[in-house]
């Protein structure tokens, strides 16, 4: 990407906050956030992230900074969050390298669960304001009028293309999640293979700290147990692999979930998959999540007592 294609505000922001202007572009990504990998004039490589300022960024970056200080494998923030128009912007260190761990077997699930348990244990020691509103794929507790949190770019599409079995599963999972009365904790809500890099058998870097959430621990673990294998478009892991993930998570954390927590974990795995399945249907993408739900939803919802 040529330097001339960078947003107009970015070079001056780098100079003000990092002490140097960009002289090269390492990469650019855009999903929920805009992410720029930049080489500065003094030779440093940095990552600058910008997202719509919905009030979450300060808490997310503060928690990420504390985890980096405690030695957890994540990028260390280099700046606090700064407002640029409607954007919340910060910079962090560049941590290249590593590989995605592919697969959705119970053995792979257990490896991911060990990392997630470590992550959640570290976050338990972090004091930060809840990063609300939660990311929409775990925002089953929204106060909007419909089944899903209100998002214009999804709501403005033809909802009739969303399969009926996806809507029905979402309704049952959400009803069970809302009936729970569990305390909320800080946790990573987008724990997917594509957001994690490994060096052989050791985790190298966990990315996407914009996706921290404030939900019950069991719900966050349950969402991760279904999503961990997503190395590209979101899918849903096999039931036996989610089971292995949850068992390993509890073992590493040193406590067993209560019966209610077990149910909430399974319900959360369904809700996140229905959110992804709806989006895939609305955009005409391959129905990875929807197809998995077609074969798995009944058993997952049974385990959720939904």
């Amino acid at each position: 990407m040529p330097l001339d294609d960078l947003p107009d505000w970015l070079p001056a922001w780098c100079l003000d906050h990092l002490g140097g202007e960009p002289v090269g572009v390492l990469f650019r990504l855009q999903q929920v956030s805009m992410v720029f990998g930049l080489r500065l004039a003094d030779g440093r490589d940095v990552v600058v992230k910008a997202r719509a300022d919905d009030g979450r960024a300060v808490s997310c970056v503060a928690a990420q900074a504390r985890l980096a200080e405690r030695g957890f494998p994540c990028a260390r923030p280099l700046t606090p969050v700064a407002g640029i128009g409607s954007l919340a912007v910060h910079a962090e260190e560049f941590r290249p390298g590593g590989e995605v761990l592919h697969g959705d077997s119970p053995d792979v699930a257990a490896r991911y669960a060990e990392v997630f348990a470590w992550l959640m244990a570290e976050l338990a020691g972090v004091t930060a304001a809840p990063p609300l509103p939660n990311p929409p794929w775990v925002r089953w507790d929204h106060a909007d009028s419909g089944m899903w949190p209100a998002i214009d770019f999804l709501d403005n599409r033809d909802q009739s293309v969303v399969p009926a079995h996806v809507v029905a599963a979402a309704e049952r999972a959400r009803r069970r999640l809302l009936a729970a009365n569990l305390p909320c904790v800080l946790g990573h809500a987008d724990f997917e293979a594509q957001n994690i890099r490994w060096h052989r058998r050791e985790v190298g870097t966990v990315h996407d700290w914009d996706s921290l959430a404030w939900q019950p621990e069991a719900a966050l673990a349950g969402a991760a147990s279904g999503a961990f294998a997503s190395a590209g478009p979101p899918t849903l892991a096999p039931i036996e692999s989610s089971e292995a993930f949850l068992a390993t998570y509890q073992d590493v954390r040193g406590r067993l979930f209560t019966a209610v927590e077990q149910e909430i974990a399974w319900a959360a795995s369904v809700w996140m998959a229905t959110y992804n399945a709806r989006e895939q249907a609305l955009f005409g993408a391959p129905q990875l999540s929807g197809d998995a739900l077609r074969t798995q939803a009944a058993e997952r919802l049974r385990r959720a007592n939904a």
Side-chain angles (χ1 to χ4, degrees), residues 8-297:
D8 292 341
W9 56 265
L10 186 50
W13 189 92
C14 290
L15 183 61
D16 290 344
H17 293 268
L18 296 167
E21 291 191 349
V23 295
V25 180
L26 306 175
F27 63 86
R28 175 177 178 168
L29 303 172
Q30 183 158 1
Q31 292 181 321
V32 177
S33 302
M34 293 185 291
V35 184
F36 304 92
L38 303 173
R39 177 155 294 157
L40 302 183
D42 60 6
R44 286 178 294 158
D45 293 339
V46 301
V47 175
V48 177
K49 295 187 173 182
R51 83 284 291 157
D53 190 358
D54 57 4
R56 294 172 34 81
V58 170
S59 293
C60 290
V61 172
Q64 180 182 349
R66 290 290 295 122
L67 259 66
E69 290 171 2
R70 295 161 73 102
F72 188 82
C74 63
R76 178 175 57 89
L78 301 175
T79 72
V81 176
I84 299 292
S86 63
L87 298 175
V89 184
H90 84 280
E92 62 187 40
E93 65 180 352
F94 180 43
R95 289 174 64 109
E99 298 178 346
V100 173
L101 173 61
H102 293 275
D104 62 6
S105 69
D107 287 345
V108 172
R111 290 179 63 186
Y112 276 106
E114 290 172 357
V115 177
F116 193 71
W118 178 18
L119 181 159
M120 293 294 289
E122 292 293 341
L123 282 175
V126 172
T127 300
L132 299 172
N134 284 313
W137 50 90
V138 292
R139 199 187 304 163
W140 48 77
D141 53 352
H142 65 84
D144 300 323
S145 58
M147 166 59 56
W148 316 96
I151 304 173
D152 288 345
F153 82 94
L154 296 178
D155 298 340
N156 293 338
R157 291 179 171 268
D158 178 10
Q159 303 300 306
S160 69
V161 303
V162 182
H165 76 274
V166 170
V167 177
E171 290 173 345
R172 291 172 62 183
R174 185 175 186 233
R175 189 181 309 122
R176 182 67 191 94
L177 288 160
L178 293 178
N181 185 27
L182 298 174
C184 291
V185 301
L186 191 62
H188 198 298
D190 204 16
F191 193 75
E192 297 183 339
Q194 61 188 337
N195 290 328
I196 301 157
R197 296 294 182 271
W198 299 76
H199 298 288
R200 296 185 179 178
R201 293 194 62 84
E202 299 296 323
V203 64
T205 307
V206 177
H207 295 288
D208 196 16
W209 296 92
D210 299 354
S211 294
L212 289 180
W214 185 250
Q215 289 289 16
E217 179 183 4
L220 292 165
S225 79
F228 75 87
S230 297
T235 186
L236 179 62
I239 289 174
E240 59 270 22
S241 297
S242 291
E243 188 174 51
F245 186 107
L246 292 171
T248 300
Y249 177 84
Q250 292 167 80
D251 184 57
V252 174
R253 289 287 278 138
R255 78 173 187 89
L256 294 177
F257 285 161
T258 65
V260 169
E261 287 177 311
Q262 292 279 2
E263 293 171 1
I264 292 308
W266 288 104
S269 75
V270 173
W271 168 267
M272 188 169 180
T274 63
Y275 179 93
N276 292 328
R278 177 194 182 220
E279 184 167 337
Q280 288 168 355
L282 291 174
F283 283 91
Q287 296 292 291
L288 299 181
S289 294
D291 290 347
L293 280 167
R294 192 182 299 278
T295 60
Q296 295 187 33

